[in-house]
Amino acid sequence: MASAQNPPVIGPGHTYASVTDKISSIVLTRKTPRGWIFGFAIAFSLFMLFNYAVTYLLVRGVGIWGINIPVGWGFAIVNFVWWIGIGHAGTLISAILLLLKQTWRTSINRFAEAMTIFAVACAGMFPLLHMGRPWLFYWLLPYPNTMYLWPQFRSPLVWDVFAVSTYATVSLLFWFVGLIPDLATLRDRAVNRPAKVIYGFLAMGWRGSAVHWSRFETASLLLAGLATPLVVSVHTVVSFDFAAAIVPGWHTTIFPPYFVAGAIYSGFAMVLTLAIPMRKFYGLDDFITMRHLDNMAKVMLATGLIVAYGYVMEAFGSFYSGNIFEKYMTLNRWKGPYAFFYWLLITCNIVIPQSLWFTRVRKNVGALFTLSLVVNVGMWLERFIIVVTSLHRDFLPSSWRIYIPTRWDWATYVGTIGLFLTLFFLFIRFLPAISIFEMRTLVPMSQEEGKST
Amino acid sequence: MSQVFHRSTNTIARLSIYGALFLIAGGVYVLYVFAGSPYVTDANEAKDQPVPFSHRHHAAELGIDCRYCHTSVESSSDAGMPATRTCMTCHSQIWVGSPMLEPVRSSYREDKSLQWSRVNAVPDFVYFNHSIHIAKGVGCTTCHGPMGEMPLTWRANSLLMGWCLDCHRSPEDYVRPRDQVFNVNYQPPSNQHDMGRILVRDYKIKSLTNCTTCHR
Amino acid sequence: MNEQKHNLAQISNAQPSGTRNLSLDELRARASALNGKRFWRSLEELADTPEHRAFLENEFPYDPANEPQELERRDVLKWMAASAALAGLSGCTKMPEQKIVPYVTPPEEIIPGRPLFYATSLTQDGIASGVLVESHMGRPTKVEGNPQHPASLGATDFKTQAAILGLYDPDRSQTIIREGHISSWGAFVNTVNDLRTTFGTNKGDGLRILTGTITSPTVAAQIQDLLKQFPSARWHQWNSCSRDNAREGAKLALGQYANTVYRFDRADVILSLDSNFLYEGPGAVRYARDFAARRDPQGSQPMNRLYVIEQSATTTGAMADHRLAVRATDVESIARAIAGSGQPPQAANVPKGWVEALVRDLQSHRGRSIVIAGDAQPPVVHAIAHAINAALGNIGSTVIYTDPVEANPESQLDSLRQLCADIAAGRVHTLFLLGVNPVYDAPADLDFTSKLLSVDFRAHLGLYEDETAELCHWHIPMAHELESWGDARGYDGTAGIIQPLIAPLYDGRTAHEILGALAGQPDKSPHDFVGDFWRGKHAGADFDAFWQKSLHDGVIVDTAFQPRQIGGAKTSPPPSANSQRGDLEIVFRPDPTIGDGSLANNGWLQELPKPITRLAWDNTAQMSPATAARLQLASKDYVRISLNGSYVQAPVFVVPGHADNSVTLHLGYGRKRAGRVGSNIGFDANLVRASSAPDIAFGAQISKLSSGYALAAMQLQQSISGDPDSQDLESENAFLRNAVRVGTVDEYRKDPKFAQEMAEPPPRELSLYPGVAYSGYSWGMAIDLNKCVGCNACVVACQSENNISVVGKEEVMRGRIMHWIRMDTYFRGGIEDPETYFEPVPCMHCENAPCEGVCPVGATVHSPEGLNEMIYNRCVGTRYCSNNCPYKVRRFNFRLYADFTTPSLEPMRNPNVSVRSRGVMEKCSYCVQRIQAAKIDSEREDRFVRDGEIQTACQQACPAQAIVFGDINNKENRVAKWKADPRNYTLLSELNTRPRTTYLARLRNPNPEMPGEKAAPEAHGG
C-alpha cells in the first residue's frame, strides 16, 4: 500500500546475487557493446577537438577568442561557472542525502559523484586557459619564492583557487572511498589476471572484514560531513568572483544563494541527462526507478524557483536602488543587443520547468530528458548573460562594445563536453556505475516489493 | 580464491600514503632552494673575459678609485664601463709589451670595442640606478661583494628580488658613511645597526618597496 | 626632466654601447641585411592584396576568427621571440649570457643612461616646426616641442610626434635603384655629369625640377644658382594639399603674395569660414595654444567667442560657441552677407538673425577680432576674409601680413599644369622629382603617369620606393629629416637649422646633394651647403658662435619676418565659379591623420582614431544623416562615386554635424606602394579629383554596391550606425552619467560650482576604512576640457613615450586598441548639428582603485605617492582588473602585439619603459619613468621635485596646454591650483573611486543675441 503513493527505489524480486551480477556484469562482461563504442567515438573526437583548440590557444594567446576591452571574460568564465555548477548535484546527493539517510539516493549517488569529478575537471581547465600567461598559474598559490611575494589574498580569484581545489580533492576522495568495497567485489569476480591486479590495486586490500566496514562507515560519514559545507561554499566563492566587483550586474549580495541554487538546479538537470539514457541502455530501470526521476524532478522544481526568485530580485534591486548604472544594465538585458538570449534564458529556466508541477510530466521519462537538456542550456545562458551583458556596457559609454565568440570559443566549450563524456564513458565501462554494496542493502526492500506484487 | 597480491603490499600501500605528503612538501622546498642557488643565479662564478682584469690588483693593491673607470656611477643609472682609451692611459706607459694586454692594444689600434662578459646583470624589466644608491651611502661592495679580493670578477650576490628587498626593507643594516662608499676593503662596524639608523636619518633614506621603484 | 641641449657636430660619429643600445654600425649592418629582403617584402605586399580584397567583401567584420589558420613564418618567429622574452619574466630561469661593449674612445657629452636633447626642425608641407629630440646613446627616441620656437613653444602636433616612427620605418627605401637594379651614388653622379655636359651646351633646355613646397632658404638658393647656370631649366612645385587658395586669395585681395599670421591671443571674437585652424595648416600648434589661453573664465582677458561656419565636422567646429554647418559652396555667399553685400546668404539653414548677430559681435570688437578662411575655400572667400579684417581694423593687431614663407610662392596647381603641358609638348627631357609623389597624388585629369613615362630621363628622390619611384629610371633614397642637414622656415618665417640626430640609416640623400650634383658639386656635404648659405647671410668673425647658437636654440635669431603694411583689400571680388550651384557637392580634403598620403605607412597615424569620427585605418565618404537618408545610404554602406568621368568605391560614414547635400572625400588612402602598413587600404580619392575643381566638385553620381563594409570605429558604433532605435545611445548616456560636464559662461558666473553639483563623491567619512594619508609627494593630473581642442597630440605622444604597440585594423575592430590615453568624443543635441565634446581619458589613478583589489597576484598596486602601478612582469593576465575598471583605461596584450622581430624598430623604443609581451595588462602610468628620473635627480641634489619639473608625455605635447601634472600636496603647484578650481570635477564621482585625474568643466560662451540663445541657454550650437 505504502508503495502506492511512494513508488519503489528498487524493482521487485531482486536477490543479493542478482544485484551484484547485474551491476558488475556491465563492467566485467567481455565484449564492449556497440552503442558504447559509438558514443565513446563521438565523445573522444570532441575531446581531440579540445586538445587542438588548447594547443592553438597556447601558441597564439587568448586573442584567438572573441574577448576584448571591455568584455575581458567571455566563454572561458561562462563555461567555468557552468561546469562547477553541474558538479554540485553529485556532492549534494552523496553527502547531504547520505546524512539525511535518504535511501533512494543509493542508486544514483555513484555516477552522480563521478559526474561531479568530471565536471570539476572540465571546470578547472578554464581558469588556467583564460589566463594571458597560463604557465605562471602557480603565482596564485602561496609558496615560498625568491621574490618574497605572496598572492593577493583580497582577490576572489585566489579564494577560487582554494575553494575549487579543496572541492576537487574532497569529491575525489569521497568517490574513491565509496568505490573501494565495489572494487573489491570486481577484483574477486574478475576473471582475467590484469583486471584482478588493477582492481585489486585500487581496492587497497579490502577484505570486507567487520573492522573494514566500521572504518568504512566512519570514513564516509566524515567525508560526507566535510563535503556538505562544500556544496554551499564552492559556488558561493565562485559567485564572489562577480559579487566582489563593482560592475553593474555583478555587484549584488544575492549572488551567493542564487548561484548555489542555480548550481544544484543545473546539477540535477545533468544527472537526469546522464541517468535516463544510461538506465535505458543498460536496462537499469529496476535500480533507477521512476521514484528517483520523480524526486530529482522535484528538486529541480524547487531550486528552479529559487533561481527565478533570484532573477526577479536582481531586476527589482536594480530599479529599487535608483542607481543609474544598475537600471541601465537591467534595461540593456531586456532590450539590448543580447535581449534575445536573456529572454531565452527566462524561458528555459523559469517558464518551461513550471511544467514539473504536473505529475504527468514528472512521470514521463522523455519529457524529463528534454526538460533536463533545456535547463542545462538555460543555466549556461544565465552565466553568459551575467558575464557578457554586464561587461559589454558598463560605466563609460565611450567604451561600450559587442562581444562575439569565435570558432575557437566554441571549440573549447564543445571540447570540454567531449572531455566530460569521454571520462564518463570510460567510467561506466570500467567501474560500477551504481554502488553494488549499497544496492544490496536495499535487497530486503526489493523482496518486500516482490511479495506485495 | 587465490591472492592477487603478496601481504607486504599492505605495508607498501600504507607507507605510500604518508610518503606522498613528504614528497610534495619536499619537492616544493627543493625547487625553492634551486631557484636561489648559484647554479641559477650565476653567483660566485668568474666569467672568462677577453683580458683577465683583476679588481684586486687595480682597486685594492694600486688603490685606483672605482670612479676612475666607472665614470658615470655618481651621475647616471649606468656605472659606465671604461673605454679602451681609459686602459691605455696607463698601459701605454706600463706593461706595454705584456701579451696579456694585447686585446686592449689591438682594440685601441683597430678602434674595435673590447667585448666583456657581463657579470652583474638584472633582467630587462628591472630599472636599477647606480647614482642614487651611491648618493644614499650604499657602498659598491655592498652589492658587488669584496671587489678588493677578486683577482677575476664574479657575481657576489644572487641579485634576486628578495635579496634587493633585504636592504630596501631595512637599509640601516647596510648603509655606510658617504666617504666610505668607494672603499673596497670596507668592513661594517659592530654597531652597524645603530650607525645605520643615524645615517638613514641624515641621508633622508626612504625604504622604497613599491613596485615602480624598480619595475616600469 | 633635465634638458641638455647640444649641437651634434662633436658626436655625429658616436659609437654607442650598452646592452639595450644598438650602434650605428649594427644598424647599418641590419639595414644592408634588409636590402636582401627587399624583393621578398614586395612579394609579401603582393600577397597581401587578395587578403585585402577578401576583406572588402567581408560581411562579418566583427568575427575575430578571421585570421590565417596556419602559423606563418613570422608568427612562429614572434612566438619564439615571445617565449624567449617570457623566459626572462618567469621565475627560476638562467639569465642569458650578455656582452658589454664599451667605447674605444668615449665621445664627450654622452653619459651612458642619460638622454641628450638636440634642437632641430621638422617640416610639414615645407613649413617648419621647432623640436627637441631625445637621444639615448645616439639613438633618437622621442620628439618634443622646442620652447624657443614660435611655432611650437614646447608643444607638438601628432604628426610631429609620429616622425620618430617615420625615421625607423622598416619599409623606407634603402638602396639606390636604377631601372629595377641596385646601383650606387657614384653611378648616379656620373649619369648626372653626363647630363651636365649636354646642359652646358643647351643651357639646360628640357631640364625640369619638381619639388614640394620649399621654404628652405638653402635649397631655394641652390635652385636659383642652378637656374642661373642653366637658364632654360624650370623649377616646379607641387603639393596635392597645398595652400594655393590662401596664396591666391591674398594676391586677389592685396595684389601680391603675402603670408598671414594670426594673433588669436589678442582676439575676443573669431570667425572661421570653413577653416580648421586649430588642427591643421601652418601655425596650428601655436594657434591652438593662443586660442586655449583665451578660454580661461578667470583669465585676465575675457573669454573669447568662436563662430565656425564649416562644411565637415572638425575639431575647430567642436570648439565653436556658435557653429553653422553649410556646404563649402555656400560659405562664400554667407561671407559676402557678413561683409555687407546686402543679399541674404543662399544657404537655407542659416537661422534668421544669425548673420546679423554675428556682425554686431564682430563690429563691437574692432581690432580684437579675426576672420579666417579655410584652405578648401576658393580664393574669393579668402579675399573677402581679408577685406572684413581690414574693415574691422584687425590688420596689424590680430591679423599680421608678412612676406610669404615659401621661397617661391606660386599656384602649385598651375605650376604642375604647366609642367604637364611642357611634357605633352615634348619640351621636357630630364625630370628630377625631389620628395614628391605626383604619380599618386596629381589630379587624375592631368594624367601625370603617362606624361611622366614620356620623359627621357626621370630621377626620383624619396623616403619610399613609391608609385612615382617605380616609374622613374633612378630612385634615390631620401634621408629622413632626423638624419639630414637642412633648414626651413616656420609659419611666421622663423628659420631653423635641421640637424641630424643619427647618421643616415640607409645612406639616404637630401635635395641639397641632388641639386649639388646637378650644379657640379657632387661631393659637397649637406652640412656645408647649409653652413655656407648661412655664412653668406651672417658674415663676420663670430659666425661660429652664431652657428653654435642657432644649432643649440633650434631657431636662427631675427629670421621671423617683420610685419608688412599692406592695405587696400578689395571689398567685393567677383563671385567664384560654381558659387551659385545648389546641387550635391563633393569636397576633397587631406585625411585628418595621414594627410595627403605621404604619411600613409606610419602605423601610429593609421591607428590614431580620427577626430569626431574616431575611425582608424580607413578613409570614407562622409555625409550628414539627412543626406544619407536622402540617398538611402547608411554608415558602412559601400558605394560607387562617379565623378569627372572616373569613379571610386568608398564606404559611407554618416557624421553628425556634417553639412547637408555635401560629401567629403579624404585624400591620402588607396596607396599602392606605401609599404606594408599603408598599401592597399582605403580608396584613392585622387582618381576622381580634377585639376579644374581640386577642392569642391559637382555632378557626382553615387550608387550603392553593398553594405556592411568593415570599419574600425572606436566609438559611435551605436550612435550613427543608422539604426534609429540606438541613435546617439552613447552620448545620451554619457550626459546622463555626467561624463562630460558643460555649462555656459553665464551659468558659471551664477554658480561656479555647477559642475561639481551635477554629481558629487560620497563624503570620505562614510568609508569604514581609515583613509590613507599621502604624506610626501602625491601625484595628480588635471585636464581642462575648456582648453582641449581634441587634436590627438597626447595620444601619439603617449604611444611614442611608452612603447605602445600598433595592433592593426582587425584588432582595432575587435576593441583591442592599445592607446593609454584616448579621446572620448560625445555629442549633444540633434544628430543633425550637435555640440561636440572631447574628453581625453588616461588612467584615473584612483585612490580607491577597483582594479587593485581583484588582482590575484598583486600585479597592480598602489604606491605611497598615489600612483596606481601596473607591474607587467608580475601580471598573469586574468583581465579581472580591466573588467573592474569603471573607466576602461586598461589595455591587454591579447596577442603578441609588440614587434620583437623587426630590427629597425628596436632602437626607436624608450629604453626606460618595458616592452610588453603577450598576455599582460598595461595602462597609463603617469609616465612613471619620468617621475622616477626627476625624483632621483632631486634626491641627489637633496631637494624636492620642482613644480613642472615632471611633465607627462601627453602634457608636454599638448598644444592647448590643457593638461597639468604634479604634486597635489603642494598647494602652490599649478595642478593643485587647478584642482581647487570650482570647475574641477571627477569622472563617475558617485563610485567613490577618488580619481587623481580630474577634469575642469567645459564652458561655452554663446552670444545672447543669437537666435534661440535667450529662449534656451542650453540650445544646440548655432
Side-chain angles (χ1 to χ4, degrees), chain A residues 56 58-60 63 65 67-68 72-73 130 132-133 135 152 155 241 245-247 393-395 398 407, chain C residues 67 69 86 89 718 737 814 816 824 826 852 854-856 875-880 883-884 888 894 918:
Chain A
Y56 191 72
L58 294 176
V59 173
R60 278 290 187 85
W65 291 342
I67 47 177
N68 56 25
W73 286 351
H130 99 290
R133 304 198 289 166
W135 47 89
Q152 211 256 86
S155 168
D241 290 349
I246 66 170
V247 180
R393 289 184 180 174
D394 64 346
F395 292 97
S398 62
R407 60 174 83 105
Chain C
E67 59 185 76
Q69 277 315 293
L86 290 159
L89 297 186
Q718 293 90 341
R737 297 160 183 219
R814 289 165 208 168
R816 298 172 179 180
D824 283 358
Y826 298 115
E852 290 166 5
V854 296
C855 175
C875 178
V876 297
T878 66
R879 302 180 296 287
Y880 200 171
N883 291 346
N884 212 28
K888 290 290 173 281
F894 288 93
R918 191 187 95 197

Side-chain angles (χ1 to χ4, degrees), chain C residues 621 633 637-641 648-652 702-706:
Chain C
L633 296 172
D637 283 357
Y638 197 52
V639 297
R640 169 193 296 249
I641 301 173
V648 288
Q649 297 185 341
V652 171
I702 301 182
S703 56
K704 178 172 170 178
L705 299 173
S706 64

Side-chain angles (χ1 to χ4, degrees), chain C residues 735-750:
Chain C
F735 282 96
L736 282 175
R737 297 160 183 219
N738 299 303
V740 179
R741 305 189 187 178
V742 190
T744 64
V745 174
D746 294 345
E747 287 168 333
Y748 172 75
R749 299 256 177 272
K750 282 195 211 73

Side-chain angles (χ1 to χ4, degrees), chain A residues 116-311:
Chain A
T116 299
I117 289 152
F118 303 152
V120 172
C122 295
M125 298 279 178
F126 286 105
L128 293 184
L129 294 179
H130 99 290
M131 289 165 68
R133 304 198 289 166
W135 47 89
L136 298 177
F137 72 94
Y138 61 91
W139 284 359
L140 274 75
L141 306 169
Y143 70 102
N145 60 68
T146 57
M147 299 173 284
Y148 290 8
L149 287 175
W150 294 109
Q152 211 256 86
F153 292 105
R154 285 184 304 163
S155 168
L157 294 187
V158 175
W159 311 341
D160 248 10
V161 173
F162 292 105
V164 174
S165 51
T166 321
Y167 185 48
T169 325
V170 173
S171 315
L172 190 63
L173 278 176
F174 199 4
W175 181 64
F176 180 70
V177 170
L179 266 169
I180 289 174
D182 287 3
L183 288 166
T185 317
L186 293 175
R187 175 197 60 198
D188 302 343
R189 297 175 64 90
V191 282
N192 59 342
R193 183 161 177 78
K196 278 184 185 297
V197 173
I198 295 165
Y199 286 124
F201 180 77
L202 294 170
M204 299 177 82
W206 176 272
R207 291 188 305 284
S209 71
V211 185
H212 281 181
W213 276 114
S214 74
R215 292 210 177 126
F216 176 82
E217 288 303 331
T218 337
S220 29
L221 275 179
L222 280 176
L223 282 166
L226 262 176
T228 309
L230 285 176
V231 178
V232 184
S233 72
V234 177
H235 228 55
T236 305
V237 172
V238 170
S239 79
F240 288 163
D241 290 349
F242 304 99
I246 66 170
V247 180
W250 288 8
H251 188 56
T252 55
T253 45
I254 64 163
F255 261 26
Y258 144 49
F259 264 54
V260 172
I264 296 162
Y265 190 34
S266 61
F268 270 87
M270 186 54 90
V271 174
L272 277 178
T273 318
L274 298 173
I276 289 171
M278 190 176 79
R279 118 191 230 277
K280 179 127 214 67
F281 186 75
Y282 287 107
L284 297 171
D285 315 37
D286 294 359
F287 300 155
I288 306 175
T289 65
M290 284 322 292
R291 165 87 176 280
H292 297 104
L293 303 188
D294 187 52
N295 284 358
M296 289 194 273
K298 285 174 180 161
V299 176
M300 275 172 65
L301 183 55
T303 48
L305 288 172
I306 303 178
V307 171
Y309 173 79
Y311 297 155

Side-chain angles (χ1 to χ4, degrees), chain C residues 815-953:
Chain C
R816 298 172 179 180
I817 199 164
M818 296 302 280
H819 293 150
W820 283 4
I821 181 171
R822 60 172 196 261
M823 188 61 64
D824 283 358
T825 307
Y826 298 115
F827 301 91
R828 188 170 68 172
I831 195 86
E832 285 302 333
D833 186 8
E835 301 161 1
T836 308
Y837 296 105
F838 299 119
E839 185 173 48
V841 183
C843 176
M844 295 290 129
H845 290 269
C846 312
E847 289 183 1
N848 306 334
C851 52
E852 290 166 5
V854 296
C855 175
V857 292
T860 183
V861 291
H862 220 67
S863 90
E865 296 169 355
L867 293 179
N868 169 251
E869 305 174 322
M870 179 67 222
I871 314 307
Y872 317 120
N873 44 300
R874 177 68 175 170
C875 178
V876 297
T878 66
R879 302 180 296 287
Y880 200 171
C881 53
S882 171
N883 291 346
N884 212 28
C885 172
Y887 309 95
K888 290 290 173 281
V889 293
R890 293 178 157 266
R891 298 288 174 259
F892 187 69
N893 290 271
F894 288 93
R895 294 164 179 270
L896 184 60
Y897 294 137
D899 186 337
F900 289 93
T901 54
T902 309
S904 78
L905 294 180
E906 286 170 21
M908 177 183 75
R909 301 211 168 98
N910 181 348
N912 297 319
V913 178
S914 307
V915 177
R916 283 78 61 190
S917 190
R918 191 187 95 197
V920 302
M921 191 62 70
E922 61 184 70
K923 68 160 192 74
C924 160
S925 65
Y926 272 168
C927 288
V928 66
Q929 65 277 12
R930 295 186 176 196
I931 297 176
Q932 297 292 3
K935 274 174 64 188
I936 287 174
D937 289 346
S938 65
E939 293 260 330
R940 272 212 319 273
E941 297 159 26
D942 195 18
R943 59 173 174 82
F944 287 106
V945 175
R946 302 186 193 92
D947 188 22
E949 189 175 354
I950 303 171
Q951 281 188 306
T952 61

Side-chain angles (χ1 to χ4, degrees), chain C residues 41 122-123 162-163 165-175 433-437 460-469 475-484 504-510 597-602 671 673-675:
Chain C
R41 183 173 306 126
L122 293 169
T123 65
L165 179 56
L167 166 66
Y168 292 108
D169 184 345
D171 292 352
R172 274 178 59 193
S173 108
Q174 299 170 356
T175 49
L433 305 107
L434 306 182
V436 289
N437 186 11
H460 174 261
L461 173 75
L463 280 172
Y464 297 89
E465 237 190 290
D466 54 22
E467 294 83 347
T468 306
H475 166 70
I476 317 292
M478 186 161 77
H480 191 277
E481 280 174 335
L482 289 170
E483 25 173 55
S484 54
L505 302 178
Y506 311 123
D507 193 25
R509 303 286 167 166
T510 59
S598 48
L599 299 170
N601 205 50
N602 190 308
R671 293 282 310 273
R673 294 175 62 88

Side-chain angles (χ1 to χ4, degrees), chain C residues 85-355:
Chain C
L86 290 159
L89 297 186
S90 64
C92 55
T93 43
K94 232 170 139 56
M95 271 275 211
E97 286 292 325
Q98 299 175 356
K99 291 287 177 200
I100 307 181
V101 188
Y103 292 104
V104 174
T105 322
E108 305 163 43
E109 320 282 341
I110 285 193
I111 301 172
R114 292 194 83 87
L116 300 174
F117 288 80
Y118 298 96
T120 179
S121 291
L122 293 169
T123 65
Q124 284 168 32
D125 305 343
I127 311 289
S129 167
V131 295
L132 301 177
V133 183
E134 181 176 2
S135 166
H136 289 271
M137 309 297 290
R139 305 176 294 114
T141 59
K142 179 81 169 68
V143 178
E144 304 291 2
N146 179 356
Q148 299 189 42
H149 195 285
S152 159
L153 298 184
T156 56
D157 64 3
F158 64 94
K159 286 182 185 174
T160 313
Q161 287 291 339
I164 201 79
L165 179 56
L167 166 66
Y168 292 108
D169 184 345
D171 292 352
R172 274 178 59 193
S173 108
Q174 299 170 356
T175 49
I176 294 177
I177 307 284
R178 177 183 197 167
E179 287 161 25
H181 302 290
I182 294 179
S183 182
S184 73
W185 176 248
F188 177 73
V189 170
N190 295 339
T191 324
V192 172
N193 286 336
D194 300 347
L195 291 170
R196 279 178 52 78
T197 48
T198 47
F199 293 154
T201 58
N202 66 7
K203 296 193 167 50
D205 181 34
L207 169 61
R208 294 288 188 278
I209 297 163
L210 180 60
T211 68
T213 312
I214 295 295
T215 67
S216 160
T218 308
V219 170
Q222 283 184 270
I223 295 178
Q224 297 310 340
D225 296 348
L226 197 64
L227 296 181
K228 273 199 210 71
Q229 272 192 44
F230 309 124
S232 323
R234 294 278 171 278
W235 169 27
H236 299 277
Q237 290 178 89
W238 166 246
N239 183 332
S240 73
C241 301
S242 77
R243 309 189 64 242
D244 278 350
N245 290 329
R247 277 189 289 269
E248 297 308 308
K251 198 172 182 188
L252 185 61
L254 313 168
Q256 57 182 293
Y257 284 120
N259 177 44
T260 320
V261 175
Y262 299 92
R263 295 299 304 270
F264 288 96
D265 52 337
R266 298 176 184 166
D268 298 340
V269 177
I270 301 154
L271 168 62
S272 156
L273 299 170
D274 201 14
S275 166
N276 193 2
F277 63 91
L278 292 175
Y279 187 76
E280 58 195 6
V285 169
R286 172 63 180 270
Y287 291 163
R289 187 196 192 93
D290 292 349
F291 174 84
R294 293 293 307 273
R295 296 301 287 187
D296 179 359
Q298 294 165 326
S300 50
Q301 293 164 293
M303 213 166 108
N304 62 17
R305 177 175 294 138
L306 174 62
Y307 299 84
V308 176
I309 302 169
E310 65 179 1
Q311 167 260 350
S312 65
T314 70
T315 56
T316 308
M319 297 309 289
D321 299 298
H322 293 286
R323 179 176 180 275
L324 202 54
V326 300
R327 297 187 316 149
T329 317
D330 297 336
V331 174
E332 180 176 337
S333 69
I334 300 176
R336 286 181 188 280
I338 295 166
S341 62
Q343 300 101 345
Q346 76 185 44
N349 65 332
V350 183
K352 193 158 174 14
W354 202 91
V355 171

